[in-house]
Amino acid sequence: MSQPWLPPDGVTRTSEVITVSAGMFKGGEFRCPASDALKARGYHTASPVRRRREQLEHFALGPFMAACDARFRPSGSPLRTRSAPPHDGLKTWSDHGVKTYEAAFPIAPERPLTEVPDPWTYRYRPSGPALRNTQEYRFTVWGRCLASADGSYREIRLPVHRLNRDLPPDGFTAAVALVLAEGAPGPPPEHVRIVEFALFDGRTRELFAGSRAQAVARYREHGPDALTAVLDGREYRPGSACGECPYLSVCPALRAAPGLLGVEARGRPRRTWSVTNGRNYRACPARDHMRRLHLPKADSVEREVTAERGRAVHAYLADRHGHGSPRPCTAEVPGDWVTDGFDLPDHERALGALLLRRHVSVCPLRYVRDGTDLRTEPRVVRHDTAADVVVIAAPDLLYRDGDSWVWRETKTSANERRSNRPLLELYPQLALAVVLIARGDLGGTPSRARVELEVLRPGGADLEIIDPFALANRTAAEEVLRGMVTDWYGDDHYEAAPGRSCERCEVARWCSASPMPGAVA
């Protein structure tokens, strides 16, 4: 028998209405199931803390939707207003999206559609005993909502950056279909349609088209179980969603690490940070900001062959280390070692296989007793309460040597050259690992705790070992982190810094300051 859903300590339910936004049905690794359940059920923290808001818009689709409101909604209709201005790159992206939207949905004289002033909301009042102590359920949708003049046809266009290879979950499509079929305001329609629209290239994908009865049937088939999964979500999933989460102060899964980054909050907005963010910001503040907004990246840069080979090697090792009983890797690398999603030429496949064979001599599974001693690509998330920054890391491997945790990072190289730069500067994720272990944030005993860097080369594998408890190492690591964080922490505008890094910038297309071909003039 399953345990009843219970909220964490420190929250209070303020409404007997359950409100579920359609996006909650999508789930995904970047959503927190427990947070979604608390929001839907109407819980608030007992003592909410007012936080300073960002000076720039951080919702990538917000300016696009506001521009569409101004251009397409009937006069006199309420318009979405954004409280913060967009970054130059976001404005460029939004203008691009409006143009592709207009091209993808030309006005059809045979079926003229107009934008509805208010999005539809489905309301349901259960009869009989009130499950979950609820008097009413409400489902809401978000997108471009249109209808025919007589209300017999409804359509919602769901904006996304790019169309994913996989379709959205059935429960999501079913919930949206129900809102279109049964939601108010307006007369019940005869037919409804749900279509995804990609702002990047204008591609569209129909998710559902049918009668009102078919839409309701679709929900009855896929909706109830999906709704239960949303409302009974128990997993706290610390990560990027913590930045805007109203329940962070009562989250039982997010561990506090005051002073981790070496900076202190002075009325700053709460933010998230990773070493990848730090690298991007150091190259160009605008680059980091646009990547955080998930603006489309240039595949020629993002999927450059050397980077793809490194990711393919990491994916193979993660699969090899993370499945079945832990066993040290062997030199028998299958010919089809490259997993789906990686497109490598034959010579890079051969090089990758050679590097995997070099890994055998330093495979950490030689120290592992069973699966409880191993964490493959875990998400390590800590809340630096002094800075009010949620720090996110994803080590390639955490494994236990005796009762001590070891942090392993793996890199690949096609040549034998070694850099003269200090390792903690060259690979800042090692600096973060040193500080976390030295503070005791990973738990375990310190006797064998260490940070390891494995570099796979054609001629063999290098294994560098860093003692996090050596004062010189910890001091250097703290200096590296402060150097990466300080300027970013006080920055509200993320100005572009054009230069040599523009040549390898995957979001240069959206930057008016970039000198690269294809960037905005």
Side-chain angles (χ1 to χ4, degrees), residues 411-465:
K411 300 297 176 185
T412 64
S413 176
N415 59 65
E416 303 297 331
R417 294 193 305 271
R418 275 72 171 172
S419 173
N420 293 323
R421 291 179 60 192
L423 288 179
L424 299 183
E425 294 180 11
L426 192 60
Y427 304 107
Q429 61 268 46
L430 301 178
L432 178 59
V434 165
V435 175
L436 283 168
I437 293 178
R439 291 164 51 98
D441 279 321
L442 296 187
T445 60
S447 57
R448 298 182 183 179
R450 60 190 181 272
V451 178
E452 296 180 339
L453 172 65
E454 169 188 355
V455 184
L456 303 177
R457 305 180 189 276
D462 295 340
L463 183 63
E464 302 281 356
I465 298 176

Side-chain angles (χ1 to χ4, degrees), residues 11-22:
V11 296
T12 304
R13 191 174 185 186
T14 59
S15 173
E16 293 185 340
V17 174
I18 283 180
T19 302
V20 185
S21 66

Side-chain angles (χ1 to χ4, degrees), residues 345-509:
D346 290 344
H347 70 279
E348 288 290 347
R349 288 172 177 261
L351 175 58
L354 174 60
L355 298 178
L356 288 170
R357 288 192 287 273
R358 299 297 186 234
H359 163 77
V360 173
S361 63
V362 293
C363 180
L365 268 64
R366 295 175 299 167
Y367 300 97
V368 172
R369 294 168 298 193
D370 55 49
T372 62
D373 290 343
L374 194 65
R375 305 286 186 273
T376 303
E377 295 184 332
R379 183 179 293 183
V380 177
V381 184
R382 297 292 184 268
H383 182 207
D384 183 342
T385 51
D388 200 11
V389 173
V390 178
V391 180
I392 304 170
D396 292 328
L397 192 72
L398 288 179
Y399 70 95
R400 197 150 39 197
D401 183 2
D403 293 325
S404 303
W405 284 106
V406 181
W407 184 304
R408 170 75 69 96
E409 295 288 346
T410 301
K411 300 297 176 185
T412 64
S413 176
N415 59 65
E416 303 297 331
R417 294 193 305 271
R418 275 72 171 172
S419 173
N420 293 323
R421 291 179 60 192
L423 288 179
L424 299 183
E425 294 180 11
L426 192 60
Y427 304 107
Q429 61 268 46
L430 301 178
L432 178 59
V434 165
V435 175
L436 283 168
I437 293 178
R439 291 164 51 98
D441 279 321
L442 296 187
T445 60
S447 57
R448 298 182 183 179
R450 60 190 181 272
V451 178
E452 296 180 339
L453 172 65
E454 169 188 355
V455 184
L456 303 177
R457 305 180 189 276
D462 295 340
L463 183 63
E464 302 281 356
I465 298 176
I466 303 171
D467 179 4
F469 302 104
L471 180 59
N473 289 338
R474 178 168 182 175
T475 300
E478 291 172 343
E479 289 177 356
V480 168
L481 291 185
R482 276 196 302 271
M484 297 188 79
V485 168
T486 302
D487 288 346
W488 163 81
Y489 187 67
D491 195 349
D492 289 314
H493 302 291
Y494 310 103
E495 298 288 345
R500 293 182 60 185
S501 64
C502 294
E503 298 176 10
R504 305 302 303 159
C505 179
E506 60 277 23
V507 288
R509 173 174 182 171

Side-chain angles (χ1 to χ4, degrees), residues 237-305:
R237 192 178 293 163
S240 56
C242 295
E244 297 295 326
C245 182
Y247 310 108
L248 181 139
S249 62
V250 298
C251 179
L254 180 61
R255 292 180 57 179
L260 175 61
L261 298 178
V263 295
E264 293 187 8
R266 295 179 300 277
R268 301 297 296 160
R270 183 197 301 154
R271 290 176 171 176
T272 62
W273 185 86
S274 69
V275 168
T276 299
N277 296 139
R279 283 202 200 94
N280 289 332
Y281 184 88
R282 187 162 56 190
C284 173
R287 179 184 185 181
D288 177 45
H289 182 66
M290 288 188 280
R291 284 203 58 131
R292 284 172 177 267
L293 293 172
H294 303 291
L295 302 192
K297 300 178 285 290
D299 287 341
S300 61
V301 177
E302 186 72 4
R303 307 201 65 173
E304 185 268 333
V305 65

Side-chain angles (χ1 to χ4, degrees), residues 180-261:
L180 265 63
E182 299 291 305
E190 297 175 6
H191 295 276
V192 301
R193 180 173 182 252
I194 306 169
V195 59
E196 279 188 314
F197 157 69
L199 275 70
F200 177 65
D201 55 14
R203 294 172 58 201
T204 62
R205 178 167 62 187
E206 186 175 270
L207 302 181
F208 177 83
S211 67
R212 178 187 176 196
Q214 288 172 324
V216 173
R218 173 68 68 93
Y219 180 79
R220 287 174 177 162
E221 179 180 2
H222 299 289
D225 288 345
L227 176 63
T228 297
V230 170
L231 297 182
D232 293 349
R234 292 174 169 82
E235 180 191 355
Y236 292 88
R237 192 178 293 163
S240 56
C242 295
E244 297 295 326
C245 182
Y247 310 108
L248 181 139
S249 62
V250 298
C251 179
L254 180 61
R255 292 180 57 179
L260 175 61
L261 298 178

